[in-house]
Amino acid sequence: MPSKKKKFNARFPPARIKKIMQTDEDIGKVSQAVPVLISKALEIFLEALVKKSHEKTKARNAKTMTRSHIKQCIENESKFDFLKDLVEGVPDMPCEEDDTNSNEAHTQEPKQKHARRGRPPKKSTGTSKCWNKQ
């Protein structure tokens, strides 16, 4: 009689997780259930991080979650302490007091545009290359 294997619904591909795990020389063989369990743990972890970040975003009446919201969540929640090194370079969110005074700051003086770095933009000829082919 053939064995009935249960198919797990994983959001993150267990094959890729297994491949990442095996890049470490200390890890030998990996049982089939381990990548599935790690996939589920990763899903639960990301769900918690996104929910907390969403709360921070809504508290600031923002429509878009930014990396600053995620940084604030990581810094305020003790269970995300292990991620603090990753978000050190992310700019902090402006204080709420700064947001209320932002209208006054915009009326005082317009900001100067920074000099553009890199290759200058292409000059348009007005016609597309597709139309020139015949």
Side-chain angles (χ1 to χ4, degrees), residues 56-72:
K56 299 290 181 192
T57 304
K58 287 295 180 190
R60 308 256 320 163
N61 294 326
K63 293 182 180 179
T64 306
M65 183 186 301
T66 64
R67 55 190 179 160
S68 298
H69 294 117
I70 296 171
K71 178 181 181 177
Q72 184 182 22

Side-chain angles (χ1 to χ4, degrees), residues 45-64:
F45 163 72
L46 283 176
E47 185 177 349
L49 179 62
V50 170
K51 279 183 179 179
K52 291 290 184 181
S53 298
H54 179 259
E55 290 171 10
K56 299 290 181 192
T57 304
K58 287 295 180 190
R60 308 256 320 163
N61 294 326
K63 293 182 180 179
T64 306

Side-chain angles (χ1 to χ4, degrees), residues 67-118:
R67 55 190 179 160
S68 298
H69 294 117
I70 296 171
K71 178 181 181 177
Q72 184 182 22
C73 174
I74 289 170
E75 289 177 343
N76 292 341
E77 294 289 326
S78 62
K79 64 182 171 184
F80 299 129
D81 282 348
F82 68 99
L83 296 172
K84 284 186 177 180
D85 294 342
L86 295 174
V87 295
E88 283 179 354
V90 176
D92 291 330
M93 276 196 299
C95 296
E96 290 182 22
E97 296 169 358
D98 293 344
D99 291 344
T100 57
N101 296 332
S102 62
N103 292 339
E104 297 170 10
H106 290 296
T107 57
Q108 291 176 356
E109 202 174 301
K111 293 183 178 180
Q112 293 180 351
K113 290 187 176 181
H114 296 288
R116 184 181 162 104
R117 287 196 246 164

